[in-house]
Structures are given as C-alpha cells and as structure tokens.
Amino acid sequence: MSVVINSQRGLFAALVVLLSLLGLTAAEAEAQNGKKHYLPALLGGRPPAAACELPNTNYHSLTVDGPSLAVDPDRDENLNLSYRGYKKNNAPRKLVVLGAVFDTKAPQFPGLFADRRTPAFTSTYQRYRWDEGCDCRLDTYSRWEATVLGMGVKPGETIYTPDSGYDIGGGYEYMVMYAGESDITLHVGREDNFPGYVIHIDGVCVDPDLLALYRQLHAAGRDELPALRGHQPFGRALGNEIQIAVRDSGSFMDPRSRNDWWQGR
C-alpha cells in the first residue's frame, strides 16, 4: 500500500511541476506580446468600478482669485468629504420645506442626472464636525436633520454638475477644488476657499482626464484649477448610491431643502 501511495504522490508532484512550467511559459509569452489580464477587486464593499472614461471630454481651467490653499487635499477635512466622514441617520428620506426660496440661482440637484429627475432618496447622513485642536472628528451635531443625502443611481450612470444660475467666468459655473478617484468638490466661485456655495459629491468615479488635470494643477501650486459648466458630465456612479453635501459660506446645509436645491419639485 505504501508503494502505491508514494507513486501517487510522485505523480502528483510531477503534475504540479508541469503545470507551473506551463504557467511560466504562458506568462512569458503574454509579457512578450504586451498583454496583461486583471481580475476585478472589491474595495470597501463596493462593486467593481465601472469604466470612468467619458466620451468627447475637453476640460479647461480658470485662474484662482486670491491666495491658493497649501494643504494635502486627500487629508483635508474641508476639501475632502470622505476624509471628514459622515454617519447614517434616520432623517426622513424626502424633500423638506425649510423656508421660502432664498436664491433663485442656487445649484439645482436634479441637474446631477441626464434626465434631470428627482431621484429616490436612499439614505440620509450627518457629517462629522471637526476638532481643529486634535485635528480629528468631533461629533455629528447640526441644526439640520441631515447634511449628506444618498440618492439612488445605476452603477456606471453618468453624473453631471448641478445646474445653477451663476457664471464664474467664461460661462463656467464651478471650479474644482478637489478631485479624487471616487469624489469631487465643486465651488461656485473662483476663490480657493469657502465663500459661497461648495458642493461635495461622493460615490462617483471621476473621469481620469479631469482627475489628471486637477492633480497637475494642484502640483503646480493651484494658481489655476479645473472649471466645469452647468450640467457638464464629470464621472460615473460607482454603485447604487451617490452622496451629496452642500455648504454655504462654509456651513453644511440640508440637501433635502425643496426651496433651495430642488426648486419646483
């Protein structure tokens, strides 16, 4: 019996060696042909990323008014909403009336979508406040029931800038203060700071051309930053939800407000 077992083990070992050699030969042939194969990866529980490239894109920049920020944008709580963080809560997932129309030119969130729809509100969140002393998260206190809104989308769906009534120069409505691989921060203004409206959008795979332009301009000192027009495509949804937050002069507002960001809905 031991002879049979040893023979089987020897045969198994020979097969392993043979398969390894075949694999190496195939890999060498692939390398010579310049071909590579990649397996999809799941990061943070998200589905495999959709192809982010958008057709017929052409991005430009505008000069920054005033001083430029000297921060690491990936680790700055004001530029990067994902770094600041936000926590899911149980606020009503519907439009709310918080007062009369304040600004008829305010960004309108239906413009995030090709069909300018009122999407299903899938989640509500509170952003974290920030403690400058420890440079860390503090709590989620806010005067508003929600400060970040999750909206239902289809994976790979094209996402656009919201429509607004503002022109910050040359017909552009937004300056890109921050762009990452899965989020973007837009400013209705030319300052590299936070007066006026600032919009954070998470869960979006930013077009690689736009991301490359932002990183190039940031590395060059942020004297210029990318500029986008209203209802201009800039990326694709990574999953079934995108998250949006809006600030006015630095303060986080309620993104469900019917008379601010969803006028006429």
Side-chain angles (χ1 to χ4, degrees):
M1 180 66 71
S2 60
V3 174
V4 175
I5 292 174
N6 288 336
S7 299
Q8 289 176 340
R9 286 176 177 171
L11 179 60
F12 179 76
L15 287 173
V16 170
V17 172
L18 179 60
L19 289 173
S20 298
L21 290 173
L22 289 173
L24 288 172
T25 302
E28 289 171 357
E30 237 179 35
Q32 291 173 357
N33 293 331
K35 295 180 181 178
K36 295 181 179 179
H37 295 287
Y38 297 95
L39 294 175
L42 293 178
L43 300 178
R46 284 178 170 160
C52 304
E53 295 84 358
L54 296 171
N56 306 316
T57 56
N58 190 12
Y59 300 108
H60 299 280
S61 62
L62 289 175
T63 56
V64 169
D65 289 345
S68 300
L69 290 173
V71 297
D72 176 359
D74 291 320
R75 296 180 61 83
D76 184 85
E77 74 280 1
N78 286 312
L79 288 179
N80 187 346
L81 181 64
S82 294
Y83 180 70
R84 174 185 287 268
Y86 43 92
K87 183 178 181 181
K88 185 176 287 191
N89 69 7
N90 294 317
R93 297 192 296 273
K94 64 179 183 179
L95 294 176
V96 296
V97 176
L98 300 176
V101 174
F102 174 74
D103 181 4
T104 57
K105 298 194 295 182
Q108 297 302 297
F109 294 165
L112 287 160
F113 311 105
D115 55 3
R116 291 185 168 88
R117 67 183 183 272
T118 302
F121 296 162
T122 47
S123 303
T124 54
Y125 307 84
Q126 279 290 6
R127 60 81 188 101
Y128 281 98
R129 293 197 301 159
W130 202 259
D131 187 329
E132 298 294 344
C134 66
D135 194 28
C136 61
R137 293 173 181 171
L138 183 59
D139 56 39
T140 59
Y141 172 78
S142 173
R143 63 180 292 194
W144 311 112
E145 285 185 306
T147 47
V148 182
L149 178 63
M151 293 177 284
V153 292
K154 294 181 179 178
E157 177 180 348
T158 301
I159 305 299
Y160 300 72
T161 58
D163 298 295
S164 90
Y166 286 91
D167 185 337
I168 65 172
Y172 293 99
E173 298 181 22
Y174 299 96
M175 191 171 68
V176 180
M177 294 187 72
Y178 173 72
E181 294 180 354
S182 62
D183 45 8
I184 196 167
T185 299
L186 307 172
H187 183 204
V188 182
R190 297 276 288 272
E191 301 86 358
D192 196 13
N193 212 310
F194 298 90
Y197 299 118
V198 170
I199 298 171
H200 302 275
I201 307 170
D202 278 6
V204 177
C205 188
V206 176
D207 184 354
D209 289 343
L210 178 57
L211 181 58
L213 177 61
Y214 169 76
R215 287 176 171 171
Q216 173 189 335
L217 294 173
H218 172 75
R222 299 177 69 95
D223 294 326
E224 297 182 24
L225 287 171
L228 298 175
R229 303 182 187 278
H231 198 61
Q232 179 174 346
F234 66 86
R236 298 184 185 275
L238 279 168
N240 295 312
E241 178 184 280
I242 63 171
Q243 300 85 31
I244 190 166
V246 57
R247 301 164 74 176
D248 188 0
S249 298
S251 297
F252 282 84
M253 311 300 289
D254 192 326
R256 305 169 301 158
S257 177
R258 184 188 300 273
N259 288 336
D260 289 300
W261 330 115
W262 304 90
Q263 294 173 21
R265 301 302 173 110

